[in-house]
Structure formats: structure tokens, C-alpha cells
Amino acid sequence: MYKKLLKTLACIWLLYSCLPTASAQYFSHQLNLQDSTQVHILRTKRGDRFVGQLKDIRSTNLFFQLGNGDELTFAFNEVISIITWREENLDGNNNWQRQFRGDLLGNRESRSIGAENLIYSSTAFNYEEGDGEVRSFAFIVNVVDVGVAKGLSVGGGLALPDIGILRLKGTTPLNQSLHLGAGVNMIFPLTDLTGIEGVAHTYAILTAGNPDRFFNFTLGAFVALDSFNDDIFVGSIGGGYRVSREWRLHFEMIFGADEGAFIPAVGAVWQKGNFKMDLGLAGLPDTDIESTLIPILALGFVF
């Protein structure tokens, strides 16, 4: 089994590494690196906005100097746009926004294509305050998540026929490419129909990359809310890669401490405006990589 697992990991790594970077960018034609008085505005895929001056472009890196003299370095694929201060403040954005309207900068949800979650696990990216998402997995598991503060989201939902869900996730960036988070999913019966006991899934997250291209690692445990069941420790490795304006590919592998359990999942997300659709194949608990993968379908609406 482990030889097959290593082979699968290697194939996914090669696919992830070889896919081309495909995200729209805009660099104003009015940029003049020789003019020391010109002020530039740089925006990143994370939503950051920096005011200063683009000093140099070398290989795949951009060197941007802030007004206080500090110099920041960005990978080329981290940057959405660089325009002049005059274009944004005196020209009314007309020229550059007309070219960029409806693309990544004008649509935050389209830019990340649901980077807050993978198939089974959450990532260390979070919803902005007031933003959120409603998702339904085959109309059986239905959840809603909402950003309530910077780096903090709460959620809840219902799994048919009578299982309640409460969710909480907090995240923070360590630097431009590393993000840390922690969360808990409370799963509990609403009636005696299913005869299950409650369980809390607590986990820590480390996400490397940006919302359009990232690896995700989680480590946690399912903690029984009664005294008759043992806790189950689980971890996951996953990632997502945006291949076009409306499509993202992703994969995930869940590892359990119980006899080396291994649950694979692969899929794609399509997003048009506020509407999302997840398609893929996934294993189920108590199965292994040799088991038949089942199709998954999830519909979502971001707001």
C-alpha cells in the first residue's frame, strides 16, 4: 500500500509543479522606473495594497520600495496589478479599470475560487469580514460560513437526517507565503434518530502559497463527547492550483492513526460570479486507496 501511496504522491507533485501559472495581471503602460518622483500602487492576490515605487524587475521577482524606505520583494505571480498614483487618484481609474473589469481584481471570490476549503479539510485562508459562503454536498450536508472579523469565521449547518454542525476557524498570515490557522467542527445529533454520539474535530492548519496556488497541511483529532469512545488522530496533505479564470484543481489525502488509514480525494472547482460547483472523486472512511472512489458534487454560493 505504501509503495502505491508514494507513487501517487509523486504523480500529484509532478502535475502540480508542471501546470502553468494562469492568472490575469495588469501593469500600467505609464510606469516609469527612471522617474524617482512617480508614485506606484501595487496590489497582490492576497488583497494587500502597497504605495511606493517599483524599483526593479529581475527574473521572476519584483522589488518595491515603500515610502519609509523599506523594500519588499514579490514573486511575479503574487502580484495582480501595478498602476501609478495619478491613474488611481486623478484619472478616476478609467483606463486601467476598463481593461481589468470583471477579472481577478474586480471579483474577490473569483480570484481565490474557494481557497478557504478543500474537499475534506479547511485551509489557513479565511473569509473577509462580512463575506461568506453557503455550500451543499449532494443536498445531504449543508453548511454556511461567515467571516465575522479579520482572520475569524464561524459557521454551522445540518447533515440529513438529524445531525447538527457548528464550525469555528481562526487564521493569521506568518508572512506572504505562509499562513497558520486552527479550528473546530462540532458534530452532534439533533434527535435520537441516528443513534450517534457527538464528536468534536479540532485541528491546526499550515498553508504554504497564495489563494491561487498552495499546499495545505492539517493535524488534528476527533474527540468523542462521551467517555466510551477513543479519540482518533488524523492529518491531511492537500493543495489547490488555479488553471484558469474559472477553474481550480485540487487534491487531498487524509491519514488516520488507525492502522494507517488513507483516504484520497481529487477534484475541480468551477466558479462563475457568485455561483460555485465542486466535482471530483473521493474515498470514504474505513476504505483504502484500492477501494473504489465515489463521485462527489457540491454546489455553493459566495457572498
Side-chain angles (χ1 to χ4, degrees), residues 1-11 262 289-290:
M1 170 182 170
Y2 292 103
K3 290 183 178 179
K4 293 183 179 180
L5 172 58
L6 291 174
K7 183 177 180 181
T8 302
L9 284 169
C11 291
F262 166 56
I289 195 171
E290 296 178 350

Side-chain angles (χ1 to χ4, degrees), residues 108-109 116-117 125-134 144-156 167-171 301-303:
R108 289 176 296 172
E109 294 81 10
E116 298 82 8
N117 300 282
F125 300 118
N126 221 330
Y127 301 98
E128 296 292 333
E129 183 176 356
D131 293 348
E133 180 178 358
V134 179
V144 56
D145 293 295
V146 180
V148 294
K150 183 176 178 60
L152 181 65
S153 63
V154 298
R167 294 155 56 89
L168 175 69
K169 183 174 76 170
T171 61
F301 181 84
V302 295
F303 56 87

Side-chain angles (χ1 to χ4, degrees), residues 114 133 135 269-271 274-278 298-302:
E133 180 178 358
R135 289 186 295 158
V269 179
W270 174 79
Q271 181 170 323
N274 293 337
F275 178 77
K276 283 177 52 184
M277 180 171 62
D278 291 64
L299 303 177
F301 181 84
V302 295

Side-chain angles (χ1 to χ4, degrees), residues 8 120 252-254 262-266 281-284 287-289 293:
T8 302
Y120 288 113
E252 191 166 12
M253 288 165 285
I254 306 294
F262 166 56
I263 306 172
V266 294
L281 296 170
L284 292 175
T287 64
D288 57 36
I289 195 171
L293 299 179

Side-chain angles (χ1 to χ4, degrees), residues 244-264:
S244 73
R245 179 178 173 182
E246 297 173 349
W247 285 95
R248 187 193 82 191
L249 303 179
H250 55 205
F251 74 94
E252 191 166 12
M253 288 165 285
I254 306 294
F255 301 91
D258 184 15
E259 298 181 357
F262 166 56
I263 306 172

